[in-house]
Amino acid sequence: MKITGKKSLLWWLRYPFGVYIVIFAIASLWILSLIILYFFTEETNRFISLESLKNPGSSIAVQFHYPFTSMALTTKNTYQSLLLAFLGLISINFILLTTFRIILELSQDNFFTDKAIKNFKILGFGLLAFGVIQGFINILISPQQPDLIQPFVFLITGFSLILMKEVFLKGKKMQDESDLVI
């Protein structure tokens, strides 16, 4: 079975992946609205609850419950942690949506097009921005021992995708030159 192009693995996987993205985006909007509500009011309800963490001397955690499931997003009850949770959900949705756009291009055998190159560029620079913002927030949260692993992964992945964009751009130029020769 082919991986790219019509009737390929990517061509068939775009449907369940698209459905997953829509469901995840709706659930994310729900949680993001709960985070915003709690950020401004600090009130709990049946979807927002407070719970003490199991470590002795640790702070209180806030849980944002997804509807119709027993799942919850849990974070420390600080403004910085709420901001990181908010940024995390936004970044995951951004990554999924942009990856879906790349999959749509590749599933149609559109490798060296302006659209594919633009999507790699958007995803690469977006990950760089998320990495820098998240690293800055982590340094604000705990300046003595900031957790910089996830921002570092975002930065490395962003640089890799920008490199891929350059490879696709070079491929597009070669394809355009080949088309002119023929």
Side-chain angles (χ1 to χ4, degrees):
M1 176 174 234
K2 298 186 319 180
I3 294 178
T4 61
K6 302 236 188 267
K7 305 288 183 187
S8 66
L9 183 62
L10 275 182
W11 192 81
W12 288 106
L13 285 179
R14 66 189 175 150
Y15 296 111
F17 191 62
V19 170
Y20 170 76
I21 289 171
V22 168
I23 293 170
F24 189 84
I26 292 169
S28 294
L29 285 173
W30 173 261
I31 295 297
L32 291 172
S33 67
L34 290 177
I35 290 173
I36 291 169
L37 177 70
Y38 183 76
F39 188 82
F40 289 111
T41 65
E42 293 190 12
E43 293 178 10
T44 60
N45 57 34
R46 68 183 185 140
F47 295 110
I48 303 171
S49 62
L50 297 175
E51 185 176 305
S52 66
L53 296 174
K54 296 182 183 184
N55 303 5
S58 63
S59 63
I60 302 291
V62 61
Q63 290 187 329
F64 302 99
H65 301 274
Y66 288 92
F68 312 115
T69 68
S70 59
M71 294 181 358
L73 182 136
T74 304
T75 188
K76 288 183 182 176
N77 191 14
T78 64
Y79 291 122
Q80 292 91 350
S81 296
L82 290 171
L83 189 58
L84 275 177
F86 188 86
L87 182 67
L89 277 175
I90 296 292
S91 64
I92 290 170
N93 279 287
F94 170 76
I95 291 167
L96 288 174
L97 182 62
T98 311
T99 302
F100 183 67
R101 292 170 59 183
I102 291 171
I103 286 173
L104 286 178
E105 284 297 307
L106 297 181
S107 70
Q108 298 171 1
D109 259 345
N110 296 335
F111 287 95
F112 304 118
T113 63
D114 290 330
K115 222 178 196 181
I117 293 167
K118 179 182 172 189
N119 288 328
F120 276 111
K121 180 180 177 182
I122 290 170
L123 187 56
F125 283 112
L127 287 176
L128 287 177
F130 283 126
V132 169
I133 293 168
Q134 192 172 29
F136 181 70
I137 294 171
N138 280 333
I139 290 171
L140 284 177
I141 290 174
S142 57
Q144 289 79 20
Q145 291 181 322
D147 181 16
L148 298 176
I149 293 172
Q150 191 171 6
F152 181 72
V153 170
F154 274 157
L155 292 173
I156 294 299
T157 308
F159 282 124
S160 299
L161 287 166
I162 290 170
L163 177 66
M164 280 185 66
K165 178 213 52 124
E166 291 298 322
V167 169
F168 273 65
L169 186 62
K170 186 80 165 174
K172 182 183 181 320
K173 286 180 184 176
M174 290 172 67
Q175 184 179 29
D176 290 345
E177 289 173 7
S178 173
D179 291 345
L180 288 175
V181 170
I182 295 173

